[in-house]
Amino acid sequence: MIEIRDLHKRYGAHEVLKGVSLNVEAGQVVCLIGPSGSGKSTVLRCINGLETYEGGEIRAFGQPVDVRSPAIRQLRCRMGMVFQRFNLFAHRSVLDNVMEGPVHVLGQARGPARALALDLLDKVGLVDKAQAYPAQLSGGQQQRVAIARALAMKPEAMLFDEPTSALDPELVGDVLEVMRALAREGMTMIVVTHEMGFAREVADRVCFLHSGTIVEEGSSAQVLGAPRHARTQDFLRRVLHQPAQATLEPTP
């Protein structure tokens, strides 16, 4: 469904991506992990046509992803994206936020768009907040609204850019549960995350990025339970707060 070949991206003299290659099949969940600044979010932004790139190729649904192409708008409609920050319209109700895309981008009538929005808010456990405004919601609730808003476009794939990083720890669980439900339903997902438990449970594949390259890639059990590369081992020790001398055992 999504193919990346030898992707290069730079900001001025700084090369952020140094030849990233990745395949994502329909129905797969792929988690991108790694330290801050390793290029994970940039990969997602390039996939969705939010960034240009200097080398390599990205294809989504068999079509090239090119910011300058007239087809980029249609491709973006087929890929939902959820960011670290919720980016909800503060002056619109929760219901109107979810209806916004179907009505103003897809041209749906308000009646069917409203029914779909209510169904999606029910799906993320927030139908009772339909008439509330973003400022009246917790961060976790706002992020669940953002997921519902992305799903309202009926995407074929979802891109998540550290969707829980801006949340207080006690609010993370509800957002992750919505994402687990999407994975169980077969949604194709690429998830940038520091939630190793979520990656271990849900991901078909995990890719560890360091300094703009994929250093290690494999099943969640292999990469998270028995990493082969020293950089992956060091990163997981830090994230999982294991002592430096500990040996990471394979997942049972």
Side-chain angles (χ1 to χ4, degrees), residues 46-100:
C46 288
I47 292 172
N48 207 30
L50 297 176
E51 297 281 358
T52 58
Y53 49 92
E54 286 69 48
E57 181 184 29
I58 303 175
R59 298 183 71 84
F61 319 109
Q63 301 180 53
V65 176
D66 184 349
V67 176
R68 297 156 294 192
S69 168
I72 192 63
R73 181 175 178 272
Q74 182 184 12
L75 279 177
R76 286 190 185 127
C77 287
R78 299 174 72 180
M79 290 187 285
M81 188 157 180
V82 178
F83 299 87
Q84 296 179 32
R85 296 291 175 179
F86 328 118
N87 299 322
L88 300 178
F89 294 110
H91 65 294
R92 294 186 180 276
S93 70
V94 164
L95 182 62
D96 284 339
N97 265 277
V98 180
M99 291 173 58
E100 187 81 11

Side-chain angles (χ1 to χ4, degrees), residues 16-17 20-22 29-44 160-164 176 179 189-240 248 251:
V16 181
L17 301 178
V20 170
S21 295
L22 176 66
V29 178
V30 176
C31 284
L32 308 183
I33 66 170
S36 297
S38 59
K40 307 181 300 296
S41 295
T42 304
V43 170
L44 289 195
F160 290 90
D161 187 7
E162 297 194 51
T164 60
L176 293 181
M179 294 169 65
M189 298 162 59
I190 306 178
V191 184
V192 172
T193 185
H194 287 295
E195 300 291 339
M196 296 301 110
F198 172 82
R200 187 189 300 272
E201 176 187 349
V202 174
D204 296 294
R205 296 210 322 282
V206 174
C207 301
F208 173 71
L209 279 78
H210 181 81
S211 297
T213 63
I214 294 179
V215 172
E216 187 162 356
E217 178 180 357
S219 68
S220 58
Q222 184 267 301
V223 175
L224 300 178
R228 300 186 180 97
H229 200 286
R231 286 175 177 164
T232 316
Q233 294 169 5
D234 181 64
F235 171 78
L236 290 174
R237 275 195 287 262
R238 294 171 186 272
V239 170
L240 301 174
L248 292 169
T251 304

Side-chain angles (χ1 to χ4, degrees), residues 82 143-151 158 160 175 178-179 182:
V82 178
Q143 192 62 293
R144 283 187 279 156
V145 173
I147 294 173
R149 179 180 60 181
L151 292 174
M158 288 284 287
F160 290 90
V175 174
V178 171
M179 294 169 65
L182 290 176

Side-chain angles (χ1 to χ4, degrees), residues 106-117:
L106 300 181
Q108 286 186 8
R110 291 189 64 85
R114 185 178 189 277
L116 173 63

